[in-house]
Amino acid sequence: MNIWYKMVIPARLGAFRVLCLFAVFEAVCLLDTGMLFPRESSSREVKELNGRWDFRADKSPNRNQGFEKAWYKSRLAETGPVIDMPVPASYNDITQDATLRDFIGWVWYEREVVVPARWIADEGTRVVLRVGSAHYYSVVWMNGVKVTEHNGGHLPFEAEIGSLIRKDPTQPCRITIAVNNTLTLDTLPPGNIQHMDDRTQYPDGYFVQNTYFDFFNYAGIHRSVLLYTTPKAYVDDITVVTDFLDNTGLVYYKVSVQGAATATMKATLMDQNARCVASSSGPSGVLKVVDVNLWWPYLMHENPAYLYSMEVRLMATDGRSTYEDVYTLPVGIRTVNVTSTQFLINNKPFYFHGVNKHEDSDIRGKGFDWPLIVKDFNLLKWLGANSFRTSHYPYAEEILQMCDRHGIVVIDECPGVGIADSRSFGNSSLAHHLAVMDELVHRDKNHASVVMWSVANEPATEMPPADFYFKTLITHTKVLDPTRPVTFATRTDYASDRGAPYVDVICVNSYFSWYYDPGHLEVIPIQLKTQFENWYGKYQKPIIQSEYGADAVAGLHSDPPVMFSEEYQKAVLQSYHNVLDQKRKQYVIGELIWNFADFMTVQGIFRVLGNKKGIFTRERQPKAAAFILKERYWRLANEQNRLGLNTSAHSDTRQLVHAFQDSLDPM
Ligand code: GCB
């Protein structure tokens, strides 16, 4: 167990604390290549390749014709019929073709790009192709030459293509991306392909994809495809770890550089008025901020989500040319600590009152969509939610940037969902899971909003190999990032709690009166109380109710409440809240409703056009439960921050916000 964040190091022990942080810092920097979010600067340009792409699904029996016939070698339209496909978007719901909606195998995307002449002419410019994410396995070619491949959805990958573009600048730049959504026992999430060989029941070559998770396996290029430039010598990665002593904020930073043996560097921290508040030279150091504005969660402070900008300026020379690279990183200064009963942000108790989400909406599936994202943040703030878990995979980086900007606290979950087969606890699965955690931590380590890593959701911990698997996985995650606690979401009803000894916070999902004792609301108080007492009794670790809820079909009503009505969903929530109100005074540190919005699932007898446990519909309209939760979350926020507001007197959110702001003591 890493003790660094288990200790609330007294502020007075400054030197000791700094030493600890430097130790942490070195550990964080075990990662060796960068995955900085592409940002424009005086030395960097970004060109989005979103929009209409050519598309072709490989419907050949073995799904391999595209590779056999080398579709990447010529224009895709020359290989056979292509259709229009938007990027970013899942391809599944774009057409009227049911076979494409449920397609398993390789699909091919292609478009031509005009590369600015100066990018080609200037040999000192690196040109990088970046895919924000594609589900699941991707292979990328530029003008028929393979430039990279990537195993896994939800995380970015990139390739330097400058030299290829320069080979023949007269040629158009044709980008081909083949994406395969097949899930196997070693993918994350796992799945398996079942071949149906009984010719009296199924046609020749018939197979299905089985999955063990409860959301639709949307596929395609889900996030932006970009070209971006950097100078030949460039800032490859930045790691920041923050702390504070009394009124002084501390930003420990480390910059790694590629493309130059020697370079000089300057790091400058600017406040929100673009005033320089600290600077330092050298590839690592500490920036000290007098009268610091800490990063506080939404509703925890009158000025939440304060972000500084850290500008890293690199100067390098290779004898012939001089390179200057500038990268600016938003930095929130905050600390995270866990005790046996509390979750502390900036040494103050933080109670998670939030949601679980999905990246999911009609037509675009899991495709990145700014209007949807901004709408969701407006709804989160309306609700008084201060947090969410990225159930059950890493969300787009732009979403985490919004969390940083708005003070929404994040439990950042990797795609370790539905690990239900003993073969998925083998060495190759574990190796892949470790690699995915590397990529995730690498991508998200600098977000102030990310306060905890979740390595999985409801794995089959009753299976003996789960012990070694989770011990290894959690230990590895703590080496990658010793500054944040680690958890995974467990099911209350699992026969075994293997893995739990290694986590810092116990996250429990439970569905009393739904999957167990369906229709019996009266069992909730006793079963929920028993759940908390069992887990706390055994582990003495703080607990988050990381899922609870009930399906409600919007518009279905019944009094007395029956399952699937809006009233039943409300009643489940209220019963849970009664118990949570007792236990949050002891060791329960949060509650995350399942789910923020209705979402699509695989077809089956348990789902009517998807999972309906949303408190909002898939179109983002509130069900009755949303109002219950809104009332509660604002009350919790007020109570936690000792605001003494009467929520019933402030049912209008705007009034409540003003009253809330007026009554907050400046920190
Ligand atoms: C769970 C899962 C979640 C499901 C939910 C449900 O325990 O973690 O992915 O969607 O239950 O509604 O069944």
Side-chain angles (χ1 to χ4, degrees):
M1 166 169 307
N2 176 278
I3 48 158
W4 185 78
Y5 50 79
K6 300 294 283 183
M7 296 185 294
V8 183
I9 304 170
R12 304 282 155 221
L13 296 178
F16 173 63
R17 192 170 152 111
V18 168
L19 279 176
C20 288
L21 276 168
F22 270 122
V24 163
F25 198 44
E26 290 309 312
V28 172
C29 293
L30 285 177
L31 306 158
D32 58 0
T33 55
M35 194 42 85
L36 289 174
F37 185 77
R39 291 176 192 280
E40 289 181 325
S41 76
S42 55
S43 61
R44 293 173 174 232
E45 289 176 73
V46 176
K47 184 180 163 77
E48 269 196 4
L49 306 183
N50 297 339
R52 195 199 65 77
W53 287 53
D54 280 346
F55 176 93
R56 185 174 178 198
D58 183 347
K59 293 190 176 166
S60 61
N62 65 0
R63 302 291 195 256
N64 214 28
Q65 196 186 73
F67 285 91
E68 285 158 8
K69 300 241 161 101
W71 287 359
Y72 48 87
K73 281 206 169 143
S74 58
R75 287 183 49 233
L76 197 55
E78 286 165 22
T79 70
V82 293
I83 59 170
D84 292 345
M85 191 54 69
V87 169
S90 302
Y91 58 73
N92 311 76
D93 291 345
I94 298 294
T95 73
Q96 301 309 104
D97 178 358
T99 63
L100 185 59
R101 181 177 200 264
D102 296 323
F103 183 77
I104 313 292
W106 289 101
V107 298
W108 293 70
Y109 288 79
E110 182 206 77
R111 74 163 273 180
E112 281 186 5
V113 183
V114 178
V115 181
R118 66 178 184 287
W119 292 11
I120 301 171
D122 180 2
E123 298 261 348
T125 295
R126 284 173 71 242
V127 182
V128 183
L129 172 67
R130 185 188 216 256
V131 181
S133 80
H135 192 75
Y136 178 84
Y137 197 100
S138 309
V139 187
V140 184
W141 295 263
M142 236 270 329
N143 290 341
V145 178
K146 187 167 132 189
V147 292
T148 191
E149 56 190 293
H150 184 256
N151 184 12
H154 317 290
L155 288 164
F157 51 96
E158 52 184 45
E160 217 268 284
I161 57 167
S163 51
L164 266 179
I165 297 175
R166 283 180 196 114
K167 239 185 193 163
D168 182 359
T170 57
Q171 252 194 32
C173 169
R174 184 169 46 83
I175 295 170
T176 313
I177 306 180
V179 187
N180 191 330
N181 62 349
T182 307
L183 298 179
T184 68
L185 292 167
D186 287 338
T187 57
L188 221 53
N192 81 312
I193 297 288
Q194 191 179 355
H195 293 272
M196 309 298 205
D197 296 328
D198 181 350
R199 286 293 150 263
T200 66
Q201 304 295 320
Y202 300 99
D204 196 22
Y206 193 83
F207 63 90
V208 290
Q209 168 81 73
N210 295 318
T211 57
Y212 311 102
F213 51 82
D214 184 37
F215 53 90
F216 192 80
N217 188 31
Y218 278 114
I221 302 180
H222 281 155
R223 298 183 190 149
S224 291
V225 182
L226 306 172
L227 288 181
Y228 73 91
T229 64
T230 74
K232 231 169 149 182
Y234 62 100
V235 173
D236 179 50
D237 197 15
I238 305 173
T239 306
V240 296
V241 174
T242 65
D243 194 9
F244 62 94
L245 281 173
D246 301 324
N247 263 352
T248 303
L250 302 167
V251 179
Y252 298 88
Y253 72 90
K254 180 157 181 168
V255 178
S256 63
V257 174
Q258 290 284 340
T262 55
T264 59
M265 211 169 311
K266 182 154 188 203
T268 312
L269 200 70
M270 281 154 308
D271 67 12
Q272 286 186 345
N273 299 317
R275 270 195 311 255
C276 168
V277 293
S279 67
S280 166
S281 47
S284 63
V286 55
L287 297 161
K288 292 190 181 149
V289 188
V290 181
D291 285 334
V292 64
N293 281 304
L294 295 178
W295 186 94
W296 288 99
Y298 174 55
L299 298 181
M300 202 173 170
H301 191 266
E302 59 182 347
N303 185 15
Y306 194 96
L307 291 176
Y308 292 89
S309 299
M310 183 171 125
E311 182 195 88
V312 174
R313 191 171 283 267
L314 166 86
M315 300 283 277
T317 167
D318 66 0
R320 280 181 306 160
S321 318
T322 306
Y323 302 100
E324 184 178 42
D325 190 21
V326 180
Y327 190 90
T328 304
L329 182 76
V331 174
I333 301 177
R334 59 105 184 93
T335 60
V336 173
N337 290 285
V338 176
T339 72
S340 62
T341 55
Q342 287 181 317
F343 197 94
L344 303 173
I345 295 185
N346 301 336
N347 298 335
K348 298 220 164 150
F350 175 77
Y351 187 78
F352 295 78
H353 43 88
V355 304
N356 290 275
K357 288 185 96 264
H358 264 300
E359 288 184 319
D360 173 271
S361 72
D362 56 359
I363 303 175
R364 34 195 78 55
K366 291 201 178 307
F368 179 85
D369 183 29
W370 267 119
L372 180 77
I373 290 170
V374 175
K375 176 74 177 174
D376 281 3
F377 274 81
N378 286 332
L379 289 175
L380 287 170
K381 293 179 93 171
W382 173 87
L383 196 64
N386 64 2
S387 50
F388 65 77
R389 174 168 66 125
T390 67
S391 45
H392 292 309
Y393 37 79
Y395 293 176
E397 287 157 275
E398 292 86 340
I399 296 179
L400 296 181
Q401 290 162 9
M402 286 287 278
C403 290
D404 291 343
R405 280 172 58 75
H406 292 275
I408 303 295
V409 167
V410 176
I411 301 172
D412 203 350
E413 188 158 279
C414 92
V417 54
I419 307 179
D421 186 304
S422 61
R423 289 165 293 176
S424 294
F425 285 109
N427 285 345
S428 53
S429 295
L430 178 57
H432 180 53
H433 207 147
L434 295 172
V436 171
M437 282 313 299
D438 278 12
E439 289 183 38
L440 175 61
V441 173
H442 216 167
R443 192 195 73 158
D444 292 348
K445 63 188 169 180
N446 293 327
H447 287 284
S449 56
V450 174
V451 300
M452 182 152 61
W453 306 111
S454 167
V455 296
N457 181 70
E458 296 186 359
T461 44
E462 70 276 20
M463 295 180 181
D467 189 73
F468 174 75
Y469 191 97
F470 280 98
K471 185 176 181 180
T472 310
L473 187 60
I474 292 168
T475 309
H476 177 75
T477 306
K478 290 180 180 188
V479 172
L480 290 174
D481 179 4
T483 72
R484 289 178 177 91
V486 181
T487 190
F488 67 86
T490 185
R491 250 187 128 125
T492 196
D493 51 296
Y494 270 150
S496 155
D497 52 2
R498 282 191 187 87
Y502 314 114
V503 300
D504 301 296
V505 170
I506 306 269
C507 283
V508 187
N509 302 344
S510 62
Y511 288 91
F512 303 128
S513 88
W514 191 261
Y515 291 119
Y516 300 91
D517 304 298
H520 291 282
L521 290 164
E522 63 281 6
V523 303
I524 295 175
I526 180 167
Q527 293 189 357
L528 189 56
K529 197 164 157 285
T530 304
Q531 164 195 285
F532 287 138
E533 287 170 4
N534 282 349
W535 282 102
Y536 193 75
K538 184 143 189 206
Y539 289 108
Q540 282 92 52
K541 291 178 187 181
I543 304 177
I544 296 177
Q545 182 69 44
S546 42
E547 283 183 28
Y548 70 105
D551 287 74
V553 178
L556 275 195
H557 293 288
S558 169
D559 183 35
V562 297
M563 292 175 79
F564 294 99
S565 68
E566 293 201 33
E567 287 74 14
Y568 193 90
Q569 188 184 37
K570 257 170 65 175
V572 169
L573 266 54
Q574 280 161 331
S575 270
Y576 264 78
H577 295 164
N578 290 339
V579 179
L580 286 162
D581 278 339
Q582 295 161 31
K583 297 297 177 190
R584 72 189 166 84
K585 302 201 169 78
Q586 300 169 10
Y587 45 75
V588 169
I589 57 162
E591 52 189 84
L592 305 175
I593 186 79
W594 190 265
N595 189 285
F596 173 74
D598 293 346
F599 58 91
M600 194 45 69
T601 62
V602 69
Q603 297 182 62
I605 51 169
F606 289 105
R607 299 286 178 251
V608 187
L609 275 175
N611 187 308
K612 298 281 189 273
K613 293 194 186 70
I615 54 158
F616 296 102
T617 63
R618 202 179 190 208
E619 296 72 36
R620 275 45 180 182
Q621 295 305 323
K623 301 180 194 170
F627 295 94
I628 297 281
L629 219 57
K630 171 176 175 252
E631 183 75 19
R632 174 172 177 79
Y633 283 0
W634 281 96
R635 183 161 48 75
L636 289 176
N638 293 335
E639 231 178 73
Q640 196 187 6
N641 299 294
R642 285 170 276 104
L643 302 178
L645 287 173
N646 176 353
T647 36
S648 56
H650 293 283
S651 51
D652 175 60
T653 312
R654 275 157 307 172
Q655 277 181 31
L656 192 60
V657 174
H658 290 139
F660 169 72
Q661 285 173 346
D662 290 346
S663 63
L664 265 171
D665 295 335
M667 311 276 326

